[in-house]
Amino acid sequence: MEQERQPAAPAPAAPDKKRRWLGTAIALLLIAGLGALAWHLTHPAAGARNGASAGGPPGPGGPGGPGGPGGRRGGSNATTVGVASVAHADIPIYVDALGTVTPSATVTVTPQVSGVLTKVPFQEGQMVKAGQLLATIEPRPFELALMQAQGQLQKDEAQLDAAKVTLDRYQTLLRQDSIARQDVDTQAALVKQLQGTVLGDQASVGTARLNLQWTRITAGPCNLETGPCGARAWQATGASKALAPTLAMATRATELGVAVFFITGRPAELQEATEANLRREGYTFAGVILQPAGARFQSAADFKAPERRKITEQGYTIVLNMGDQESDLRGGYAERTFKLPNPVYFLP
C-alpha cells in the first residue's frame, strides 16, 4: 500500500533577504561616516589653511617641509593659546643656600651711655628717617640717678635758703653793733659756699637728665630719602651755585683766550659731577683736576703745587692762581696769586 507524499512547506525567504540588505546598508553608512570624519580631521577647510598660511611664509622646508603648509609642524596645524592678565608680582622662585651679603655702606652707632639694649624698633635694611628711634637702652638706672641728683639739689637749696636768712639777721645785728663782724663774714662765706654747691647740684641734674635722653638712640638729622647727607653727598648732586664775580672773571678770561683750570681737593669719583656742575653754571674750562682716589696729603699745597707744575710742563704759563685758602697759593708755579675771602672754614 503506497503512502501518500505530502509536499514540504516553503521557507520564508523574503524576510531573511530584507534583513541582510538592511544590515549591509547600515554597515555602509557607518563606513561612510567614519571616512567623512577622518577626512574632516585630516583635511581642514580651505579658509583655515589660507588663514594659517597667511600669518607668515612657508617653513624652511617649503610646502610639505618642517614648518611649511603641508608639514606635520607647519602653520596649518591648530595652536592652543592661553590668555592671562598681566600682573606685577614677585616670581616665586626661592633658592636656599649659604652666602654673604655685603652692604653698600656700614655705619657704627656708638651710644653715649652704657646699659642693656631693650628695644630695637627697626628691621635690617629698612629706610629710616631723620629723628626716628633706632634703639632703646634700659632707662630705669638713669631715671633713678636723675631723681637722686634732684633730691640732693633740693637739700642744698634748702640749706642755702637757711644760710641766707641767717646772714640777713647777722647783718641787722651788725648794724645795731650787737654782733661781731667776724660772725657776719663767716656766714657770708657759708652762703657763697652753698651757692657753689647748688650750682654743682644743678649741673648734676642736667647731666643725669642728658644721660636719660641718651638712652634713646635716634637717627641723625639727615633724611636719607631726600638727602643729600654730608658735604661729599651734596657735591655729588652737582647743584652748587657759582659765585657771580668769579664766573664773570672766568668768562672774561676765556674771551681773551686765557685757559682756565680748576684744581680741587674733591675725590676723583666726583669728576663727572663736578664737570657737569661747572658747565651747568656757565664755566668754560681747559681742565678739571681732582684729588686722586685714596691719596692723602698733609696740606692742600702738597697736592695742588705739583698739579700746577704739570700744567706748566704742558706749555702753559700760569698768570694767576686764585684760592680761598693760603694753602691753595703756596708752592709756586704762578706769576701772581690772589686770596679769596672765606670766613667759613680753614684748610691747612
Side-chain angles (χ1 to χ4, degrees):
M1 183 176 184
E2 294 181 358
Q3 295 181 349
E4 187 177 86
R5 180 180 298 174
Q6 296 180 354
D16 294 339
K17 186 175 182 180
K18 291 179 179 181
R19 283 195 295 271
R20 286 197 303 272
W21 280 104
L22 181 59
T24 302
I26 292 173
L28 291 175
L29 289 175
L30 290 175
I31 294 173
L34 292 175
L37 179 60
W39 175 268
H40 177 72
L41 294 177
T42 57
H43 296 74
R49 288 196 304 270
N50 295 335
S53 60
R72 290 177 174 266
R73 295 174 293 176
S76 61
N77 293 335
T79 302
T80 302
V81 178
V83 180
S85 300
V86 178
H88 184 275
D90 295 334
I91 299 177
I93 300 177
Y94 302 94
V95 177
D96 295 332
L98 297 176
T100 301
V101 177
T102 303
S104 58
T106 302
V107 177
T108 302
V109 179
T110 303
Q112 300 296 322
V113 295
S114 59
V116 179
L117 196 64
T118 59
K119 187 178 181 181
V120 182
F122 74 94
Q123 297 179 352
E124 294 186 7
Q126 174 185 347
M127 184 67 69
V128 297
K129 297 182 179 180
Q132 180 176 338
L133 181 64
L134 302 180
T136 300
I137 297 175
E138 175 59 59
R140 288 177 293 182
F142 302 96
E143 292 173 351
L144 297 175
L146 176 59
M147 293 174 60
Q148 184 178 5
Q150 290 173 339
Q152 185 65 38
L153 173 62
Q154 292 178 0
K155 175 183 176 182
D156 293 336
E157 284 178 341
Q159 293 178 355
L160 175 61
D161 293 339
K164 287 181 177 180
V165 171
T166 302
L167 179 60
D168 291 340
R169 292 173 181 171
Y170 283 3
Q171 288 174 345
T172 301
L173 293 174
L174 180 61
R175 287 193 296 269
Q176 298 174 356
D177 198 17
S178 300
I179 190 174
R181 178 172 293 278
Q182 182 179 359
D183 294 336
V184 178
D185 294 340
T186 302
Q187 188 64 28
L190 178 60
V191 169
K192 292 182 179 180
Q193 178 182 354
L194 291 175
Q195 287 176 341
T197 302
V198 169
L199 186 61
D201 293 339
Q202 291 174 347
S204 298
V205 170
T207 301
R209 184 176 287 111
L210 184 60
N211 289 337
L212 180 59
Q213 294 177 355
W214 279 339
T215 59
R216 291 172 51 87
I217 302 175
T218 59
C222 180
N223 194 331
L224 295 178
E225 293 182 349
T226 58
C229 299
R232 295 306 185 200
W234 169 254
Q235 293 169 356
T237 63
S240 301
K241 298 299 180 181
L243 298 175
T246 306
L247 176 60
M249 187 185 65
T251 302
R252 180 58 178 163
T254 303
E255 293 173 352
L256 296 175
V258 177
V260 177
F261 288 85
F262 291 93
I263 306 176
T264 173
R266 293 185 178 186
E269 58 265 21
L270 296 179
Q271 181 81 36
E272 183 177 353
T274 302
E275 292 184 2
N277 193 176
L278 291 170
R279 292 191 182 96
R280 191 181 305 111
E281 292 300 313
Y283 282 100
T284 301
F285 48 84
V288 178
I289 304 171
L290 276 68
Q291 187 169 298
R296 295 291 184 270
F297 300 96
Q298 293 183 353
S299 172
D302 298 336
F303 159 61
K304 294 185 177 182
E307 295 298 332
R308 291 195 297 271
R309 177 179 55 80
K310 294 178 183 179
I311 294 175
T312 60
E313 291 175 351
Q314 299 176 22
Y316 292 96
T317 298
I318 301 178
V319 296
L320 177 63
N321 177 26
M322 296 176 54
D324 60 1
Q325 303 292 321
E326 292 293 342
S327 56
D328 295 335
L329 312 179
R330 293 198 302 266
Y333 301 102
E335 294 182 351
R336 297 177 181 86
T337 60
F338 183 79
K339 170 69 169 59
L340 296 171
N342 183 1
V344 180
Y345 62 89
F346 167 77
L347 295 176

